[in-house]
Amino acid sequence: MSTNVSTRAGRAAVSLSALAAGDAFGARLLEPDGAQAVRGRVLPPGPWEWTDDTEMACSVYAVLYRCGRVDQDALVAGFAAHYDALRGYHRATDHLLRSVRAGGDWRALAPAQFGGAGSWGSGAAMRVAPLGAWFADDVAEAARQAALSARVTHTHPDGVAGAVAVAVAAAVAARGDPLGSHEFLDEVLDHVPSGTVREGVADARALLISADPCAVAAELGCGELIGARDTVPFALWTAAKHHDDFPGALWAAAAAGVRAGGDLDTTCAIVGGVVGTRLPGGRLPEEWRRRTEPLPEWVPV
Ligand SMILES: [Mg+2]
């Protein structure tokens, strides 16, 4: 694993491994002993297996590694080639990737989802943090590339905006500068198009006065609807609040997710992928790295 955080690929690889740790941690906490682990803040025994969030993020990273930008056809081909039905894909994405594998065209399939509305789910946001880290030297480009990466599966404006918000957050975090929580979300808001996700991030900014993730999640949602609108604002509140404390950020996300029953692996994947960009030396804490399932061998890290 490259940890040269001065390169685009190095920064993105760090974000990807941290996203996988968050995803796997969140998924592990959905097991029966998860609530007890959260109460005691004791990491549950490994191995922790990552889910669809990580599998798709690996394809995002691989396309950037090969092309230096989002090639939408290559991205969808990667999603379809590596799709594993046992990794917890949601039904719409499951259907889309199976259809692409059978020869379908994503340009027709993606906009047709949900009766022609397109998907407003959190699936484009959950996989995009490494892209933001890649383009940390050009935040506006991070926002543009994030939108391209989203639209191959999520064409509803909320689905796209969720990906833009997370990518910009990862880009800002990955610069590694000293960062105030309010300024962090201000920079995200500068790039997110208007709509319900942007309104949610603005609400998250106003709630930075709170220290209680459960109370904040009750206001913003924490993935109960598996939508970008009810997932991304809370995840970015958590990242902004704890941007230099990787374990603290993930425990905060977990506390709210376990209580509310939200989409815990996705919330933790987003938080991990964003906050992980600031880990000293790009290294995951050893007790997290040891428990997390390694990335697949086809990923060029
Ligand atoms: Mg998942």
Side-chain angles (χ1 to χ4, degrees), residues 1-4 9-10 12-18 61 282 284 295 299 301:
M1 167 68 70
S2 169
T3 53
N4 182 357
V14 167
S15 173
L16 178 60
S17 65
Y61 175 86
L284 278 175
L295 294 173
V299 181
V301 291

Side-chain angles (χ1 to χ4, degrees), residues 12-199:
V14 167
S15 173
L16 178 60
S17 65
L19 182 156
D23 176 22
F25 168 72
R28 176 64 182 80
L29 293 177
L30 296 174
E31 293 183 24
D33 60 353
Q36 188 183 356
V38 171
R39 275 196 301 277
R41 280 204 171 205
V42 177
L43 293 177
W48 306 339
E49 294 186 349
W50 38 257
T51 76
D52 55 334
D53 308 52
T54 299
E55 191 157 82
M56 297 189 97
C58 287
S59 287
V60 172
Y61 175 86
V63 161
L64 292 172
Y65 193 87
R66 284 205 310 275
C67 309
R69 60 178 180 81
V70 172
D71 176 316
Q72 290 178 305
D73 292 309
L75 182 60
V76 176
F79 288 156
H82 299 294
Y83 160 77
D84 175 353
L86 300 179
R87 293 287 183 177
Y89 287 83
H90 297 295
R91 197 169 50 190
T93 305
D94 186 272
H95 173 74
L96 188 145
L97 295 182
R98 285 174 186 270
S99 300
V100 168
R101 272 191 174 186
D105 182 358
W106 64 269
R107 288 180 172 80
L109 291 164
Q113 293 203 308
F114 298 95
S119 176
W120 44 265
S122 55
M126 75 187 187
R127 66 192 186 216
V128 82
L131 179 153
W134 184 283
F135 291 105
D137 50 278
D138 187 345
V139 176
E141 187 64 11
R144 281 191 291 273
Q145 295 288 323
L148 289 171
S149 77
R151 289 194 182 101
V152 300
T153 50
H154 292 66
T155 59
H156 188 284
D158 280 3
V160 177
V164 170
V166 172
V168 170
V172 172
R175 289 199 302 244
D177 304 335
L179 195 57
S181 299
H182 287 85
E183 293 73 20
F184 185 5
L185 293 188
D186 281 339
E187 196 159 349
V188 173
L189 288 166
D190 284 345
H191 294 274
V192 179
S194 56
T196 60
V197 170
R198 191 176 194 287
E199 290 165 13

Side-chain angles (χ1 to χ4, degrees), residues 193-250:
S194 56
T196 60
V197 170
R198 191 176 194 287
E199 290 165 13
V201 176
D203 291 343
R205 186 190 185 283
L207 289 165
L208 286 170
I209 54 169
S210 173
D212 179 356
C214 297
V216 171
E219 293 282 329
L220 299 176
C222 66
E224 297 94 325
L225 304 176
I226 322 173
R229 168 65 181 86
D230 75 308
T231 303
V232 170
F234 173 70
L236 295 189
W237 178 89
T238 308
K241 195 81 182 173
H242 302 278
H243 53 270
D244 283 318
D245 178 5
F246 180 82
L250 286 167

